[in-house]
mmCIF file of all heavy atoms in Angstrom:
data_model
loop_
_atom_site.group_PDB
_atom_site.id
_atom_site.type_symbol
_atom_site.label_atom_id
_atom_site.label_comp_id
_atom_site.label_asym_id
_atom_site.label_seq_id
_atom_site.Cartn_x
_atom_site.Cartn_y
_atom_site.Cartn_z
ATOM 1 N N THR K 281 63.921 -24.419 38.579
ATOM 2 C CA THR K 281 65.237 -24.173 38.343
ATOM 3 C C THR K 281 65.713 -22.973 39.202
ATOM 4 O O THR K 281 65.013 -21.950 39.142
ATOM 5 C CB THR K 281 65.478 -23.718 36.856
ATOM 6 O OG1 THR K 281 64.983 -24.723 36.081
ATOM 7 C CG2 THR K 281 67.007 -23.514 36.512
ATOM 8 N N SER K 282 66.610 -23.207 40.005
ATOM 9 C CA SER K 282 67.133 -22.221 41.122
ATOM 10 C C SER K 282 68.485 -21.856 41.084
ATOM 11 O O SER K 282 69.347 -22.804 40.690
ATOM 12 C CB SER K 282 66.625 -22.688 42.394
ATOM 13 O OG SER K 282 66.926 -21.690 43.440
ATOM 14 N N LYS K 283 68.859 -20.639 41.354
ATOM 15 C CA LYS K 283 70.233 -20.222 41.417
ATOM 16 C C LYS K 283 70.865 -20.945 42.677
ATOM 17 O O LYS K 283 71.935 -21.485 42.637
ATOM 18 C CB LYS K 283 70.446 -18.850 41.589
ATOM 19 C CG LYS K 283 69.906 -18.085 40.289
ATOM 20 C CD LYS K 283 70.495 -16.633 40.213
ATOM 21 C CE LYS K 283 70.088 -15.958 38.902
ATOM 22 N NZ LYS K 283 69.212 -14.896 39.165
ATOM 23 N N THR K 284 70.127 -21.036 43.785
ATOM 24 C CA THR K 284 70.610 -21.774 44.887
ATOM 25 C C THR K 284 69.382 -22.575 45.548
ATOM 26 O O THR K 284 68.319 -22.124 45.481
ATOM 27 C CB THR K 284 71.192 -20.812 46.050
ATOM 28 O OG1 THR K 284 70.204 -19.921 46.455
ATOM 29 C CG2 THR K 284 72.424 -20.127 45.542
ATOM 30 N N VAL K 285 69.750 -23.573 46.267
ATOM 31 C CA VAL K 285 68.757 -24.422 46.817
ATOM 32 C C VAL K 285 69.208 -24.541 48.272
ATOM 33 O O VAL K 285 70.342 -24.701 48.735
ATOM 34 C CB VAL K 285 68.681 -25.844 46.134
ATOM 35 C CG1 VAL K 285 67.777 -26.805 47.032
ATOM 36 C CG2 VAL K 285 68.171 -25.699 44.703
ATOM 37 N N ILE K 286 68.113 -24.504 49.192
ATOM 38 C CA ILE K 286 68.395 -24.704 50.707
ATOM 39 C C ILE K 286 67.452 -26.022 50.986
ATOM 40 O O ILE K 286 66.281 -25.967 50.702
ATOM 41 C CB ILE K 286 67.966 -23.394 51.344
ATOM 42 C CG1 ILE K 286 68.854 -22.307 51.025
ATOM 43 C CG2 ILE K 286 68.090 -23.792 53.002
ATOM 44 C CD1 ILE K 286 68.566 -20.978 51.770
ATOM 45 N N LEU K 287 68.151 -26.905 51.630
ATOM 46 C CA LEU K 287 67.398 -28.066 51.995
ATOM 47 C C LEU K 287 67.008 -27.942 53.650
ATOM 48 O O LEU K 287 68.011 -27.854 54.288
ATOM 49 C CB LEU K 287 68.123 -29.286 51.808
ATOM 50 C CG LEU K 287 68.491 -29.573 50.223
ATOM 51 C CD1 LEU K 287 69.262 -30.754 50.118
ATOM 52 C CD2 LEU K 287 67.153 -29.658 49.468
ATOM 53 N N ALA K 288 65.808 -28.021 53.942
ATOM 54 C CA ALA K 288 65.438 -27.993 55.359
ATOM 55 C C ALA K 288 64.398 -29.047 55.559
ATOM 56 O O ALA K 288 63.316 -28.839 56.050
ATOM 57 C CB ALA K 288 64.768 -26.620 55.636
ATOM 58 N N THR K 289 64.805 -30.264 55.311
ATOM 59 C CA THR K 289 63.863 -31.367 55.115
ATOM 60 C C THR K 289 63.758 -32.123 56.484
ATOM 61 O O THR K 289 63.016 -33.152 56.564
ATOM 62 C CB THR K 289 64.381 -32.322 54.008
ATOM 63 O OG1 THR K 289 65.779 -32.508 54.163
ATOM 64 C CG2 THR K 289 64.053 -31.765 52.730
ATOM 65 N N GLY K 290 64.300 -31.567 57.520
ATOM 66 C CA GLY K 290 64.166 -32.239 58.838
ATOM 67 C C GLY K 290 64.863 -33.667 59.108
ATOM 68 O O GLY K 290 65.819 -33.896 58.396
ATOM 69 N N ALA K 291 64.237 -34.311 60.043
ATOM 70 C CA ALA K 291 64.854 -35.703 60.397
ATOM 71 C C ALA K 291 63.769 -36.567 60.600
ATOM 72 O O ALA K 291 62.671 -36.260 60.969
ATOM 73 C CB ALA K 291 65.704 -35.482 61.546
ATOM 74 N N HIS K 292 64.199 -37.867 60.431
ATOM 75 C CA HIS K 292 63.156 -38.960 60.743
ATOM 76 C C HIS K 292 63.520 -39.773 61.997
ATOM 77 O O HIS K 292 64.815 -40.025 62.145
ATOM 78 C CB HIS K 292 63.072 -39.935 59.552
ATOM 79 C CG HIS K 292 62.348 -39.428 58.428
ATOM 80 N ND1 HIS K 292 62.694 -39.836 57.086
ATOM 81 C CD2 HIS K 292 61.505 -38.465 58.300
ATOM 82 C CE1 HIS K 292 62.049 -39.152 56.324
ATOM 83 N NE2 HIS K 292 61.316 -38.268 56.881
ATOM 84 N N GLU K 293 62.703 -39.942 62.832
ATOM 85 C CA GLU K 293 62.961 -40.714 64.078
ATOM 86 C C GLU K 293 63.255 -42.130 63.695
ATOM 87 O O GLU K 293 62.689 -42.647 62.760
ATOM 88 C CB GLU K 293 61.871 -40.647 65.064
ATOM 89 C CG GLU K 293 62.163 -40.997 66.422
ATOM 90 C CD GLU K 293 61.147 -40.540 67.596
ATOM 91 O OE1 GLU K 293 60.063 -40.173 67.113
ATOM 92 O OE2 GLU K 293 61.575 -40.512 68.669
ATOM 93 N N ARG K 294 64.244 -42.764 64.449
ATOM 94 C CA ARG K 294 64.636 -44.103 64.114
ATOM 95 C C ARG K 294 63.966 -45.080 65.006
ATOM 96 O O ARG K 294 63.986 -44.859 66.124
ATOM 97 C CB ARG K 294 66.201 -44.158 64.292
ATOM 98 C CG ARG K 294 66.917 -43.951 63.047
ATOM 99 C CD ARG K 294 68.365 -44.596 63.168
ATOM 100 N NE ARG K 294 69.053 -44.211 64.369
ATOM 101 C CZ ARG K 294 69.783 -43.157 64.386
ATOM 102 N NH1 ARG K 294 69.970 -42.381 63.335
ATOM 103 N NH2 ARG K 294 70.571 -42.876 65.475
ATOM 104 N N PRO K 295 63.521 -46.157 64.592
ATOM 105 C CA PRO K 295 62.869 -47.114 65.398
ATOM 106 C C PRO K 295 64.151 -47.976 66.053
ATOM 107 O O PRO K 295 65.299 -47.757 65.549
ATOM 108 C CB PRO K 295 62.188 -48.163 64.457
ATOM 109 C CG PRO K 295 62.267 -47.487 63.131
ATOM 110 C CD PRO K 295 63.258 -46.471 63.298
ATOM 111 N N ILE K 296 63.852 -48.830 67.043
ATOM 112 C CA ILE K 296 64.947 -49.666 67.569
ATOM 113 C C ILE K 296 64.635 -51.011 67.122
ATOM 114 O O ILE K 296 63.458 -51.459 67.144
ATOM 115 C CB ILE K 296 64.940 -49.591 69.159
ATOM 116 C CG1 ILE K 296 65.053 -48.023 69.606
ATOM 117 C CG2 ILE K 296 66.001 -50.382 69.752
ATOM 118 C CD1 ILE K 296 64.937 -47.860 70.990
ATOM 119 N N VAL K 297 65.554 -51.755 66.957
ATOM 120 C CA VAL K 297 65.469 -53.139 66.527
ATOM 121 C C VAL K 297 65.418 -54.080 67.765
ATOM 122 O O VAL K 297 66.394 -54.241 68.436
ATOM 123 C CB VAL K 297 66.587 -53.441 65.535
ATOM 124 C CG1 VAL K 297 66.372 -55.024 65.082
ATOM 125 C CG2 VAL K 297 66.475 -52.586 64.362
ATOM 126 N N PHE K 298 64.350 -54.616 68.048
ATOM 127 C CA PHE K 298 64.181 -55.644 69.115
ATOM 128 C C PHE K 298 63.230 -56.670 68.712
ATOM 129 O O PHE K 298 62.513 -56.491 67.711
ATOM 130 C CB PHE K 298 63.796 -54.834 70.412
ATOM 131 C CG PHE K 298 62.560 -54.087 70.291
ATOM 132 C CD1 PHE K 298 61.274 -54.747 70.704
ATOM 133 C CD2 PHE K 298 62.444 -52.802 69.977
ATOM 134 C CE1 PHE K 298 60.038 -54.017 70.664
ATOM 135 C CE2 PHE K 298 61.284 -52.131 69.929
ATOM 136 C CZ PHE K 298 60.102 -52.723 70.184
ATOM 137 N N PRO K 299 63.028 -57.768 69.433
ATOM 138 C CA PRO K 299 62.303 -58.912 68.973
ATOM 139 C C PRO K 299 60.787 -58.437 68.986
ATOM 140 O O PRO K 299 60.359 -57.758 69.953
ATOM 141 C CB PRO K 299 62.463 -59.989 70.019
ATOM 142 C CG PRO K 299 63.799 -59.673 70.630
ATOM 143 C CD PRO K 299 63.981 -58.108 70.609
ATOM 144 N N GLU K 300 60.066 -58.804 67.996
ATOM 145 C CA GLU K 300 58.545 -58.507 67.934
ATOM 146 C C GLU K 300 58.287 -57.074 67.959
ATOM 147 O O GLU K 300 57.379 -56.640 68.520
ATOM 148 C CB GLU K 300 57.910 -59.119 69.018
ATOM 149 C CG GLU K 300 58.164 -60.580 69.220
ATOM 150 C CD GLU K 300 57.204 -61.525 68.471
ATOM 151 O OE1 GLU K 300 57.480 -61.727 67.275
ATOM 152 O OE2 GLU K 300 56.364 -62.018 68.980
ATOM 153 N N ASN K 301 59.230 -56.367 67.198
ATOM 154 C CA ASN K 301 59.055 -54.952 67.233
ATOM 155 C C ASN K 301 58.083 -54.426 66.114
ATOM 156 O O ASN K 301 58.170 -53.160 65.865
ATOM 157 C CB ASN K 301 60.226 -54.170 67.000
ATOM 158 C CG ASN K 301 60.953 -54.651 65.781
ATOM 159 O OD1 ASN K 301 60.694 -55.669 65.126
ATOM 160 N ND2 ASN K 301 61.991 -53.878 65.313
ATOM 161 N N ASP K 302 57.225 -55.396 65.704
ATOM 162 C CA ASP K 302 56.405 -54.877 64.440
ATOM 163 C C ASP K 302 54.861 -54.963 64.886
ATOM 164 O O ASP K 302 54.065 -54.740 63.896
ATOM 165 C CB ASP K 302 56.681 -55.786 63.323
ATOM 166 C CG ASP K 302 56.249 -57.331 63.595
ATOM 167 O OD1 ASP K 302 56.188 -57.666 64.808
ATOM 168 O OD2 ASP K 302 55.831 -57.944 62.644
ATOM 169 N N ARG K 303 54.469 -55.138 66.033
ATOM 170 C CA ARG K 303 53.035 -55.200 66.308
ATOM 171 C C ARG K 303 52.334 -53.939 66.068
ATOM 172 O O ARG K 303 52.870 -52.825 66.415
ATOM 173 C CB ARG K 303 52.758 -55.733 67.719
ATOM 174 C CG ARG K 303 53.025 -57.270 67.821
ATOM 175 C CD ARG K 303 52.581 -57.728 69.246
ATOM 176 N NE ARG K 303 53.390 -58.791 69.649
ATOM 177 C CZ ARG K 303 53.286 -60.069 69.056
ATOM 178 N NH1 ARG K 303 52.253 -60.199 68.137
ATOM 179 N NH2 ARG K 303 54.202 -60.949 69.438
ATOM 180 N N PRO K 304 51.092 -53.941 65.791
ATOM 181 C CA PRO K 304 50.261 -52.700 65.701
ATOM 182 C C PRO K 304 50.197 -52.200 67.132
ATOM 183 O O PRO K 304 50.047 -52.933 68.012
ATOM 184 C CB PRO K 304 48.831 -53.237 65.307
ATOM 185 C CG PRO K 304 49.146 -54.448 64.493
ATOM 186 C CD PRO K 304 50.281 -55.109 65.145
#
Side-chain angles (χ1 to χ4, degrees):
Chain K
T281 302
S282 185
K283 294 200 181 114
T284 58
V285 171
I286 299 178
L287 301 176
T289 44
H292 291 148
E293 197 162 17
R294 268 201 305 272
I296 304 173
V297 179
F298 58 90
E300 306 271 82
N301 58 340
D302 68 327
R303 282 185 211 286

